[in-house]
Amino acid sequence: MEHNVFQIIWFVLWGVLWAGYFVLDGFDLGAGILLPCVAKSEEERRAVYQAIGPFWDGNEVWLITAGGATFAAFPKTYAVMFSGLYTALFLLLFALIVRGVAIEFRGKVEGAGWRRFWDFLFWISSLVATLILGVAFGNIFLGLPIDAQGIFRGSFFSLLHPYALLVGLLFVLAFAVHGATWLAFRVNGELRQRLIRDAKVLWVFEAVTAVAVLLFSLKLTPLWGNYLKAPLLFVFPLVAVIGLLLVPYFLNAGRTLAAFLSSGAAILGVTAWGMAGLFPNLFPSRLNPEWSLTIYNSSSSPLTLKIMTVVALVFVPIVLVYTLWTYRTFSFRITREELAYGEGY
């Protein structure tokens, strides 16, 4: 196959990895954001941790793989990302590390103060990580200040553009709704009813913010350009809209698993909308479109991409099988007996 075919394959895989990460890790990040609002007792807090316990670290494999794919397939983009966005990426990694430590450490010592301390870190790190991811992709959609040599000409504070912050808010609300539907699927009693009620309220804010992002994207970004050239791409925002509209329908019917899957479809559709709008850019330049980092000027050699494709064909199915097995085995309603047994939380 021609070199540009492999470049396109890896752009698609790059998008699939990010979409997989947002759909899978989105709900456990959302559970962390919701923890202090929905869990009113120690038993309910343990239920929240138990609901994400078997999944959260496996979900982060998708983030690591997305970063690794960027490094190997598009090294110039990776270099610009880790030099220009160093502070933001450092904060993201720090938040994810603190979050993992909080999950593992809160149950190691008996004591209300000890657990409140780790609950606070779990909440703030989940919120910060989600907000940074949203702001980062908001800046990518908007275009980064990259010059002709690929040097980032901005600062950390220049990333806090109102449009990027709006995308960050959308990430927080979407992950919170996603997390609420997952938790409502896995828990019982008053907590479940409270989560369904809160998911409906948060969904209203998510829908309004999503419409605002789509409208401001039309005015401020070139994302819709590819859709005018290839109308078939409109299937992606259509999936997002249908998924979003089905969330309150299934919540009202008490079908929390269907609501969770609909929320996942909405996140998947929004991510695909953004990726399709970016193509063939990876990092568009806000200074001059000709200075953008694309799949054509920042990719690895044809041999590297061919070897990576073979590796992906072998290992991606293994990751998918492992992920499906995990969800099939541990996706059940949590009982009081499960909470009593749940080790570490």
Side-chain angles (χ1 to χ4, degrees):
M1 285 190 280
E2 298 292 332
H3 187 199
N4 60 1
V5 173
F6 287 102
Q7 290 166 327
I8 293 171
I9 287 173
W10 275 96
F11 178 84
V12 173
L13 283 175
W14 184 69
V16 168
L17 290 169
W18 278 113
Y21 174 66
F22 292 149
V23 171
L24 294 177
D25 209 34
F27 75 78
D28 62 62
L29 285 166
I33 294 169
L34 292 172
L35 179 70
C37 306
V38 298
K40 304 299 183 186
S41 65
E42 173 59 19
E43 184 179 86
E44 290 183 350
R45 284 187 284 274
R46 284 172 60 85
V48 171
Y49 283 101
Q50 193 77 2
I52 65 169
F55 310 104
W56 70 271
D57 45 359
N59 292 339
E60 293 190 353
V61 168
W62 291 78
L63 174 64
I64 296 168
T65 309
T70 309
F71 169 74
F74 306 109
K76 187 174 180 180
T77 298
Y78 184 89
V80 172
M81 179 171 68
F82 269 85
S83 57
L85 307 180
Y86 182 81
T87 303
L89 289 173
F90 175 81
L91 288 174
L92 173 62
L93 292 175
F94 186 71
L96 292 175
I97 291 169
V98 169
R99 187 167 174 273
V101 173
I103 294 172
E104 297 297 334
F105 274 39
R106 93 174 287 274
K108 300 299 182 187
V109 174
E110 290 295 332
W114 172 268
R115 287 183 169 165
R116 277 199 300 271
F117 172 72
W118 291 111
D119 287 342
F120 171 77
L121 290 182
F122 179 55
W123 166 72
I124 193 68
S125 58
S126 299
L127 179 63
V128 168
T130 303
L131 187 62
I132 290 175
L133 285 167
V135 171
F137 272 82
N139 275 282
I140 293 172
F141 294 162
L142 189 65
L144 294 164
I146 301 170
D147 67 14
Q149 286 72 46
I151 298 174
F152 181 78
R153 293 300 181 184
S155 66
F156 172 74
F157 292 104
S158 70
L159 298 174
L160 305 179
H161 186 280
Y163 172 79
L165 291 173
L166 182 66
V167 178
L169 177 62
L170 176 61
F171 268 55
V172 171
L173 292 168
F175 285 9
V177 171
H178 203 38
T181 56
W182 174 257
L183 293 176
F185 163 62
R186 294 217 60 203
V187 302
N188 283 303
E190 289 184 17
L191 178 57
R192 182 172 186 270
Q193 297 306 317
R194 203 179 305 138
L195 285 161
I196 292 175
R197 182 199 64 198
D198 291 350
K200 291 177 187 174
V201 174
L202 287 167
W203 178 88
V204 175
F205 291 100
E206 180 192 4
V208 171
T209 309
V211 171
V213 167
L214 291 176
L215 292 177
F216 278 107
S217 298
L218 185 64
K219 182 177 177 60
L220 299 175
T221 77
L223 289 178
W224 288 103
N226 284 344
Y227 289 85
L228 299 178
K229 297 174 186 173
L232 188 62
L233 295 174
F234 276 99
V235 69
F236 297 134
L238 185 63
V239 168
V241 170
I242 292 174
L244 192 60
L245 292 176
L246 285 176
V247 172
Y249 171 79
F250 286 126
L251 286 174
N252 286 328
R255 298 172 59 185
T256 50
L257 178 58
F260 168 73
L261 295 175
S262 299
S263 173
I267 294 172
L268 184 68
V270 169
T271 309
W273 161 78
M275 294 298 177
L278 282 174
F279 182 84
N281 295 315
L282 294 161
F283 278 7
S285 172
R286 196 188 309 170
L287 305 179
N288 186 335
E290 295 183 359
W291 298 341
S292 299
L293 296 176
T294 73
I295 62 171
Y296 303 118
N297 64 16
S298 68
S299 72
S300 297
S301 68
L303 178 61
T304 300
L305 294 181
K306 288 178 184 177
I307 293 173
M308 287 177 60
T309 303
V310 173
V311 172
L313 287 172
V314 173
F315 287 101
V316 169
I318 295 174
V319 173
L320 290 176
V321 169
Y322 156 78
T323 303
L324 289 172
W325 179 86
T326 304
Y327 279 84
R328 183 179 174 84
T329 305
F330 297 105
S331 297
F332 49 82
R333 191 65 57 84
I334 298 171
T335 63
R336 286 181 180 272
E337 290 74 22
E338 291 289 338
L339 286 177
Y341 172 76
E343 55 184 75
Y345 305 117

